[in-house]
Amino acid sequence: MAVEHPVTAPSGDQTRIHNIGYRSYDGPRLGRAYARRSLYSQSLRGAYGLGRSVKSKVLPMLLFVVMCVPAAIMVAVAVATKANELPVDYTRYAIVMQAVISLYVASQAPQSVSRDLRFKTVPLYFSRPIETADYVRAKFAALASALFVLTAAPLLVLYIGALLAKLDFADQTKGFAQGLVSVALLSLLFAGLGLVIASVTPRRGFGIAAVIAVLTISYGAVSTLQAIAEAQNSTGSIPWIGLFSPVTLIDGVQSAFLGSTSAFPGGIGPSNGEGVVYVLVVLGLIAASYGLLMRRYRRVGL
């Protein structure tokens, strides 16, 4: 407690000396696990603008609404018309809405890491008690969790609507589970790629442009090449071309193993053997993204 010691001074002088009396802290040390959880929760909240300014909430919340509104409309139509099935399969919904997902990654991946690079606060994180691996895991997990919320929420709307429309419970539950597996893989892949690209530059604008370029331009280029291959009756090359875009990678995995109809030209998705290659590439890209982030932040934290 601060103790005040009045000092005799000339008349009219109100000078005082304040003895602050600092004391050492004897409470519990919360350690790395607590710091890692705190960084994860703050990064996850930040991905939706929570705890930040109103302006920061607009885009992520708007994209979340845009993701869910089409699902709600489909549910309303299915219930009103007493349809026998939903207009879109659970595994297809994220592919149809991939432009919205890419925009969300492009806006939030730089927000997650670019400010720390721009203001040179990364070394402060690593001073104590967390280490490089804790920082990378927390950021990776936070963005992947935010993406999973974004992509799984409309699937939940579809599932609830299907049950309200009295569609077959077993079929809908199976489709919903397959959709969750698909968007979980998509969330990990997109989060890893987005963070790697955003960590290259401290300038948020450059990070946004680079993420959009990688996710959308690669999809457009691959789709064009697949269409050309189909036009030239080179259908055997279509599944292999799909290995060069994150969106088509997820499409190939779910069409090979999750019972989804492929969005590839002519509906020519990968076979089970080719699907194994797709799975290995997806897992390899996720692992490579984590490794690149570790190398990047080991250098930054020096």
Side-chain angles (χ1 to χ4, degrees), residues 37 44 46 51 85 122-123 126-127 148 154 163 169 198 200 226 234 237-239 242 246 272 279 286 290:
R37 290 195 302 271
L44 178 57
E85 60 182 13
V122 175
F126 299 158
S127 60
F148 184 76
L163 298 183
F169 176 80
V200 173
Q226 287 177 326
S234 181
S237 63
I238 290 177
N272 287 344
V279 172
I286 293 171
Y290 177 78

Side-chain angles (χ1 to χ4, degrees), residues 5-141:
H5 299 281
V7 177
T8 303
S11 176
D13 193 338
Q14 299 299 317
T15 302
R16 292 169 180 253
I17 297 175
H18 298 275
N19 180 9
I20 302 301
Y22 289 106
R23 296 181 182 180
S24 61
Y25 176 68
D26 298 324
R29 304 296 179 182
L30 299 177
R32 286 176 58 189
Y34 178 82
R36 187 167 54 243
R37 290 195 302 271
S38 298
L39 183 58
Y40 166 79
S41 63
Q42 289 301 316
S43 299
L44 178 57
R45 285 166 52 84
Y48 284 96
L50 302 178
R52 300 171 59 202
S53 65
V54 175
K55 183 174 67 174
S56 300
K57 296 179 176 66
V58 173
L59 183 58
M61 293 299 182
L62 178 62
L63 293 176
F64 182 83
V65 171
V66 171
M67 281 292 294
C68 292
V69 166
I73 294 173
M74 294 176 191
V75 164
V77 171
V79 172
T81 61
K82 298 181 180 179
N84 295 324
E85 60 182 13
L86 293 172
V88 175
D89 292 338
Y90 295 98
T91 49
R92 291 281 303 129
Y93 192 86
I95 303 299
V96 173
M97 303 295 291
Q98 58 89 17
V100 179
I101 299 171
S102 298
L103 183 58
Y104 180 86
V105 177
S107 64
Q108 298 309 311
Q111 181 275 328
S112 181
V113 295
S114 294
R115 290 188 304 170
D116 291 341
L117 294 171
R118 184 166 67 253
F119 297 115
K120 303 184 186 303
T121 57
V122 175
L124 298 179
Y125 281 111
F126 299 158
S127 60
R128 69 176 194 179
I130 68 172
E131 298 180 358
T132 306
D134 301 317
Y135 180 89
V136 171
R137 289 169 188 164
K139 292 292 184 178
F140 201 137

